[in-house]
Amino acid sequence: KFLDQNRLAASTNYQFNIRIIDWKARTTLQILSGATAQHHGLEILPNSLLASGSRDSRLRIWNYDTGALIRTINATGELYSVKYIADKDLIAVGSTDRSVKIWNYTSGSLVHQYISHTGTVRALEYSEQHKILVSAGNRSLAFFNVTNYQVFR
């Protein structure tokens, strides 16, 4: 993922870390550590924050400038996909428990959950214009209206 007007990049590795890199200078600025399993999803948030979802069933919120872990949210299933819903200031997370969960990352509270897949939710995409979150998993797509929390296909 590119951060900070494309000046920085974030990447994961098999050592359970996230590296924040100044790609022009080719230097590592921060190593975000503390997970007990591999990170699958990364998403940029406002105010120098980064969300990561990992195989240890935790959603972590980091400050990528300071390297500080701001919040850990315990979820269920291995977290494979993370998407920021900017106009609602929420995070959607897809996991191996077949669910998509919508979190308030500031408070750590679960806002809504839906199960619409038969397997792992591997990808999420959001249309701010249409207020629709799309989830993909096991040869299926589900569409979720984030205004009224309705699922449709």
Side-chain angles (χ1 to χ4, degrees):
K1 288 284 184 177
F2 284 100
L3 315 165
D4 200 20
Q5 287 90 34
N6 294 328
R7 182 180 65 87
L8 306 176
S11 69
T12 64
N13 62 32
Y14 288 103
Q15 298 172 337
F16 315 148
N17 297 322
I18 300 169
R19 292 171 105 53
I20 306 300
I21 302 160
D22 180 328
W23 64 272
K24 287 184 180 179
R26 295 193 169 115
T27 58
T28 298
L29 302 177
Q30 297 286 348
I31 296 177
L32 310 179
S33 59
T36 58
Q38 183 181 4
H39 296 274
H40 283 296
L42 296 176
E43 187 69 337
I44 302 161
L45 306 173
N47 303 316
S48 300
L49 298 180
L50 178 73
S52 68
S54 64
R55 294 182 70 181
D56 64 5
S57 303
R58 290 181 177 86
L59 174 64
R60 290 178 174 82
I61 309 300
W62 309 86
N63 181 308
Y64 61 79
D65 281 338
T66 65
L69 176 61
I70 305 299
R71 178 176 305 283
T72 301
I73 299 170
N74 293 317
T76 56
E78 297 176 13
L79 308 184
Y80 266 78
S81 48
V82 180
K83 193 66 181 175
Y84 180 53
I85 302 172
D87 58 326
K88 303 283 185 184
D89 205 28
L90 300 170
I91 297 177
V93 179
S95 73
T96 58
D97 72 356
R98 307 173 330 195
S99 75
V100 174
K101 293 180 177 76
I102 311 292
W103 295 93
N104 178 319
Y105 68 92
T106 304
S107 69
S109 63
L110 181 65
V111 174
H112 197 78
Q113 169 182 307
Y114 73 96
I115 298 174
S116 211
H117 295 282
T118 58
T120 301
V121 178
R122 297 192 179 273
L124 296 167
E125 193 57 57
Y126 180 66
S127 168
E128 191 168 330
Q129 177 183 357
H130 300 291
K131 310 298 184 227
I132 300 295
L133 179 70
V134 180
S135 59
N138 287 31
R139 295 185 223 128
S140 66
L141 295 175
F143 300 86
F144 179 73
N145 184 317
V146 298
T147 303
N148 61 16
Y149 301 113
Q150 296 296 309
V151 176
F152 57 95
R153 292 193 180 271

